[in-house]
Amino acid sequence: MAKDFPYEMRPFNTEENEQLKECIQVSSKYYRVGPKGYVVSKGYTDDAAEIYNFLLRPDDVFVVSFPKSGTTWTQELVWLILNGLDYEKAKSIPLTERSPFLELLGFMDAEDMSMEDRNPLEKTFMPLSIKQLNELPSQRILKSHLPLSLLPPTLLDNTKVVYIARDPRDVAVSYYYHYKLMRFTSPERDFKSFWKQFINNNLTWSPYFASFLEAFEKRDHPNMLFLFYEELSKDLSAVIRKVADFFNKKLSDEQIEGLREHLKIDNFKKNRSVNLQDLQDKGIFRSEGGFIRKGKVGGWRDYFDEEMTAEAGKWINENLKGTEFRFHHFCHRKI
């Protein structure tokens, strides 16, 4: 256990490692953290205490989610509302710089990539270290995929948090393509085997439901705005108003319409500031696909066979049993 960090960090056992290696082609050592067994890579274990004890400022804003839940979409929305809808600045500075990724360095293990690949990543995702993040001027808008329990314990007391959640079946499909894009799994890897690793909680930042429920339980905290990806997809203007209200910002109907147009998924996919196009141009990502993919709600139905659909329904219901959550995209029936 790291100094000033309350949770045990234990390495994957041999069986877990072998299962993971069948699915993804990375050489990192993986660990489970705390009683819920959150999956992290070796580098995070060195940074865990610094992240847990991260020095918060009263005007900090955190955008938090499980990966592939609409984080980038939400970051851009939050950044623009807090920066006077400055589209020119947003276009000229990559989102990775305007809204840095808190724990990225710990999950970007050097052993998984050559220095030739690592250097462009470091330039794209600067700043990386906690020291660099501490030196950033205010107002900081920080991204994290960590569950709330691994973030500073006073986070909601001191800062505002926007949490974005998404149907885990769509998350799994998007995560699958993300792994392929980032060269973490082979182009031939089938989705079904990836899905097994996802629901068995063997992928980084898993388990999905433990992380989701930690945030959901805090949804009524005055410093928490809890959003769903499906909301953004269905009525983007309404979500823009909700986010603006959360930050006490007044937007005219014309401003809301302009921001909605900027964030429309077809426009968002073409936005080089948010879609990491430079890394794809340099060959760090695979040439097919893109960081911003389809953004489709319910797209999982194109990838799940009858067996997987039944398995997903059972998995979802088991994980939500005893909770107040009744979001229809997630559940086949009331629990």
Side-chain angles (χ1 to χ4, degrees):
M1 182 164 58
K3 185 180 178 182
D4 300 323
F5 185 72
Y7 301 112
E8 176 190 10
M9 294 183 280
R10 55 196 184 278
F12 267 32
N13 60 38
T14 302
E15 182 181 354
E16 289 171 324
N17 272 317
E18 288 306 312
Q19 287 179 358
L20 195 58
K21 283 180 181 177
E22 287 180 11
C23 182
I24 63 174
Q25 50 192 29
V26 294
S27 55
S28 289
K29 294 178 181 177
Y30 287 87
Y31 286 71
R32 295 195 186 274
V33 181
K36 295 175 183 175
Y38 290 113
V39 178
V40 300
S41 57
K42 175 66 171 64
Y44 167 82
T45 65
D46 298 325
D47 295 339
E50 275 194 289
I51 292 171
Y52 190 78
N53 297 287
F54 185 69
L55 295 174
L56 299 171
R57 301 174 193 164
D59 64 346
D60 282 342
V61 172
F62 278 69
V63 176
V64 183
S65 70
F66 192 86
K68 310 313 295 178
S69 296
T71 327
T72 304
W73 213 6
T74 308
Q75 283 173 277
E76 182 78 346
L77 166 57
V78 168
W79 189 91
L80 281 164
I81 285 178
L82 291 176
N83 285 272
L85 303 182
D86 191 340
Y87 295 109
E88 288 306 311
K89 187 173 182 180
K91 190 184 299 183
S92 63
I93 302 174
L95 182 61
T96 52
E97 186 177 332
R98 292 182 280 122
S99 179
F101 193 168
L102 177 65
E103 70 270 18
L104 178 66
L105 184 60
F107 282 81
M108 204 171 80
D109 289 345
E111 60 189 293
D112 284 341
M113 62 187 76
S114 68
M115 288 309 296
E116 184 179 346
D117 283 351
R118 186 178 173 88
N119 289 337
L121 280 171
E122 288 183 339
K123 290 176 182 176
T124 300
F125 287 101
M126 291 294 281
L128 285 172
S129 72
I130 300 300
K131 180 177 182 295
Q132 290 170 320
L133 292 173
N134 279 324
E135 292 170 351
L136 285 178
S138 296
Q139 179 180 40
R140 299 180 302 187
I141 302 172
L142 302 173
K143 160 188 170 179
S144 179
H145 290 317
L146 291 172
L148 294 184
S149 58
L150 300 186
L151 291 169
T154 60
L155 183 67
L156 283 172
D157 297 327
N158 294 321
T159 68
K160 285 186 176 289
V161 175
V162 179
Y163 191 93
I164 179 76
R166 186 183 189 185
D167 186 319
R169 294 164 293 194
D170 280 331
V171 168
V173 172
S174 187
Y175 212 9
Y176 166 69
Y177 280 101
H178 179 75
Y179 266 69
K180 283 193 168 188
L181 181 72
M182 300 289 282
R183 302 179 187 272
F184 289 159
T185 191
S186 70
E188 295 77 28
R189 173 57 55 198
D190 66 295
F191 173 68
K192 196 166 190 174
S193 61
F194 185 90
W195 166 250
K196 289 291 185 184
Q197 297 303 315
F198 184 79
I199 62 172
N200 288 335
N201 304 324
N202 285 333
L203 301 174
T204 47
W205 288 287
S206 297
Y208 170 86
F209 272 111
S211 185
F212 164 77
L213 288 172
E214 279 194 26
F216 186 70
E217 288 166 3
K218 301 287 187 181
R219 67 194 181 281
D220 294 325
H221 193 289
N223 282 336
M224 165 79 84
L225 178 61
F226 200 100
L227 300 173
F228 288 102
Y229 185 95
E230 291 76 10
E231 289 181 277
L232 273 77
S233 180
K234 183 179 180 180
D235 192 345
L236 192 49
S237 295
V239 176
I240 291 170
R241 289 189 182 92
K242 187 182 293 189
V243 174
D245 288 345
F246 181 65
F247 290 111
N248 297 314
K249 301 290 184 180
K250 300 295 182 184
L251 298 181
S252 67
D253 290 345
E254 184 179 2
Q255 288 174 317
I256 290 170
E257 177 57 27
L259 184 50
R260 188 190 71 83
E261 189 67 23
H262 176 82
L263 293 170
K264 279 172 60 176
I265 199 69
D266 288 343
N267 293 331
F268 208 58
K269 287 191 288 187
K270 301 171 188 173
N271 186 338
R272 294 182 69 92
S273 174
V274 302
N275 66 14
L276 305 183
Q277 186 63 47
D278 289 346
L279 292 179
Q280 196 157 333
D281 292 345
K282 293 171 183 174
I284 307 301
F285 292 169
R286 288 198 173 100
S287 58
E288 69 278 5
F291 189 74
I292 308 297
R293 210 172 60 88
K294 293 184 178 180
K296 183 179 177 181
V297 170
W300 62 269
R301 293 181 178 86
D302 298 332
Y303 298 86
F304 282 61
D305 59 26
E306 188 175 338
E307 177 190 2
M308 293 167 69
T309 299
E311 182 179 48
K314 181 180 177 183
W315 173 69
I316 290 169
N317 286 331
E318 285 176 350
N319 278 279
L320 292 179
K321 184 178 289 186
T323 74
E324 297 179 12
F325 191 56
R326 297 293 183 273
F327 190 59
H328 69 88
H329 282 291
F330 284 66
C331 306
H332 289 298
R333 58 180 175 80
K334 287 194 174 184
I335 301 164

